[in-house]
Amino acid sequence: MPIFSASQIGSALAAFIVLTPAGVGGADQPPPYTSATEAYRQGASFMKSGEMTSAVPALEYAATRGVLGAQLKLARLYAKGRDVPQDDAKAFYYYQHIADQYADIQPSSPIAQYVGEAFSALGRYYVGGIPAVPLHPDPVYAVGLFRHAGAYFGYADAQYQLGRLYLTGSGVEKNETIAANWLAMAARKQHPGAQAVLGGMLWRGEGVSQRQVRGLALLMLANENAKTSVDDVEWIGRRYQETVALADKSTRKQAEALLPTLGGPRTAATTVKISPSTRGAPPPTRTLAKPAQEPSLSAMEEPRLGPVDVIPPAAMGMSVGFGASESGLGGLQP
C-alpha cells in the first residue's frame, strides 16, 4: 500500500494534472531537452540567476522524470511562494513524490535529510490542510509523518512539530513531558523554534522542573539561531525579549556562561549536493494521476524502493533514546 491512498487525495487529483511540464510537445516534435539531467542542470542554472520563467519549465521536465533535486527545488519554490506564486497543491505533489520514492532509504544516506524534509512538509500540510485542493486537516495522520521523519531520519523540524502537537494535544494525547523530549532532540540540533519553546517551558517550569538559567540560555541561543531563519525570527525575538526583561542580572550572567555547553549558535549548514542523476521512478498511478503527456521511463539510475506504509506511532515509540522522565533531557541538564 502506498503511503498516501487515493481516498486521502480525493479531488486533489484534478488539480495535479496542471503539472504537465511546459514545452512538452506532440509526438512529432523533438523533446525540449536532451535528457532529464540536462534539464535539471539548466533549471538550476536559470534559478540561480533569477530567470524563473526559464527555470520552472526545465525543473518540471526533470522532476516528472524522477530527478530528486528538481522535485525538491520545485517543492520549496511553490511552498515558499517567493520567486513563484505560492501553490501549496503543487508543493504537496512534489513532496509526496519524494516521500513515496524514498520512505525506506537508509538514514545514513546523503539524501536522507531531504527525504526527512519531505515527510515533515507533508506533516505540516496535514496539520493545516490545503483548502484550495481540498486536502482536509488530519493531525493524527500528520503525527505518523512527523514520527517517521523525526525518529527514523532524525529530522529536527519534524521533532519540533511533534513537540508542538504534544503540547496542544492535537492528533495525540496532550503530554508536556513527551513534548519536552521531542523538543530537546531538535534543540540539540540547533533548531531555533525548539530551543525557544523548550526554553520557555524550563523558564516557567511547565512539563519539566523549573530551571530558569537553562531556559534563558536556550532562549538566548534560539534568538541567535533564528537570525538565519525567516520563519522564526519575529516570534522568537519577542519571546526572548520578554524573558530577558524578567531575568535579574545574576540569572542573565549565568545563562550567558552556560551557552558554550549548549553548542553555541549554529553556523551555515553544510549543503549536500544532490546529483542530477539521483532519480527514482514516478509514483504509481494508484497514488497520483500522472500528467497525460508524461512519457514512460525505460531505465532508472536508482531503483525505486517500493510503496511502503508510514511506521505507526506505536511502533516508533520513543526508540530514539529519550524516556518520559526529566532526565531524558540529557545534555540539556545542568
Side-chain angles (χ1 to χ4, degrees):
M1 179 182 295
I3 60 174
F4 300 101
S5 65
S7 62
Q8 290 169 318
I9 303 302
S11 59
L13 296 176
F16 294 147
I17 298 299
V18 302
L19 292 172
T20 302
V24 178
D28 58 340
Q29 295 179 339
Y33 306 99
T34 57
S35 67
T37 296
E38 180 58 28
Y40 172 78
R41 287 173 177 162
Q42 289 188 31
S45 178
F46 283 130
M47 183 177 169
K48 187 176 181 179
S49 60
E51 300 176 65
M52 300 309 298
T53 56
S54 297
V56 171
L59 291 173
E60 288 182 342
Y61 184 94
T64 55
R65 285 153 180 80
V67 180
L68 174 60
Q71 293 169 349
L72 186 65
K73 286 182 184 296
L74 286 168
R76 290 171 174 175
L77 281 172
Y78 286 123
K80 294 177 181 177
R82 294 169 191 161
D83 298 313
V84 298
Q86 184 174 5
D87 192 324
D88 289 328
K90 289 184 179 181
F92 180 94
Y93 171 88
Y94 286 116
Y95 278 129
Q96 179 174 343
H97 272 254
I98 296 169
D100 192 54
Q101 292 173 64
Y102 300 105
D104 270 355
I105 199 168
Q106 291 299 313
S108 59
S109 167
I111 66 170
Q113 62 177 307
Y114 303 117
V115 184
E117 176 186 338
F119 272 93
S120 187
L122 290 169
R124 284 175 176 254
Y125 282 127
Y126 272 99
V127 168
I130 307 176
V133 173
L135 180 74
H136 301 295
D138 189 345
V140 174
Y141 191 69
V143 167
L145 294 168
F146 287 139
R147 281 185 182 275
H148 192 64
Y152 184 71
F153 291 111
Y155 192 67
D157 190 66
Q159 294 167 348
Y160 165 65
Q161 298 298 334
L162 264 178
R164 295 296 295 264
L165 291 179
Y166 271 105
L167 283 177
T168 61
S170 179
V172 290
E173 184 176 349
K174 185 176 180 179
N175 189 312
E176 291 179 332
T177 303
I178 294 178
N181 285 329
W182 284 109
L183 292 169
M185 293 183 225
R188 292 198 191 103
K189 297 169 184 170
Q190 304 303 314
H191 189 289
Q195 290 170 334
V197 175
L198 183 59
M201 293 174 68
L202 288 166
W203 175 265
R204 297 184 298 271
E206 295 178 356
V208 294
S209 297
Q210 187 174 38
R211 298 176 182 272
Q212 291 193 329
V213 171
R214 186 162 296 271
L216 181 57
L218 279 171
L219 282 162
M220 289 177 172
L221 194 54
N223 187 57
E224 289 300 313
N225 285 333
K227 295 175 182 177
T228 64
S229 172
V230 176
D231 297 331
D232 294 329
V233 62
E234 291 187 7
W235 73 265
I236 289 177
R238 288 195 301 269
R239 187 167 297 187
Y240 162 74
Q241 293 291 344
E242 291 168 359
T243 307
V244 166
L246 297 173
D248 56 37
K249 185 176 180 180
S250 175
T251 300
R252 290 197 297 269
K253 284 188 174 181
Q254 291 180 66
E256 290 171 355
L258 194 59
L259 285 175
T261 69
L262 299 179
R266 65 182 177 185
T267 56
T270 301
T271 301
V272 177
K273 184 177 181 180
I274 301 179
S275 169
S277 63
T278 301
R279 302 193 288 170
T285 53
R286 63 187 177 188
T287 306
L288 287 177
K290 292 183 180 179
Q293 298 179 352
E294 180 182 341
S296 61
L297 296 174
S298 58
M300 306 314 314
E301 296 177 24
E302 181 169 337
R304 178 178 164 76
L305 296 173
V308 297
D309 292 319
V310 174
I311 299 173
M316 297 301 296
M318 296 298 289
S319 60
V320 286
F322 289 81
S325 65
E326 188 194 359
S327 61
L329 297 178
L332 293 177
Q333 295 298 304

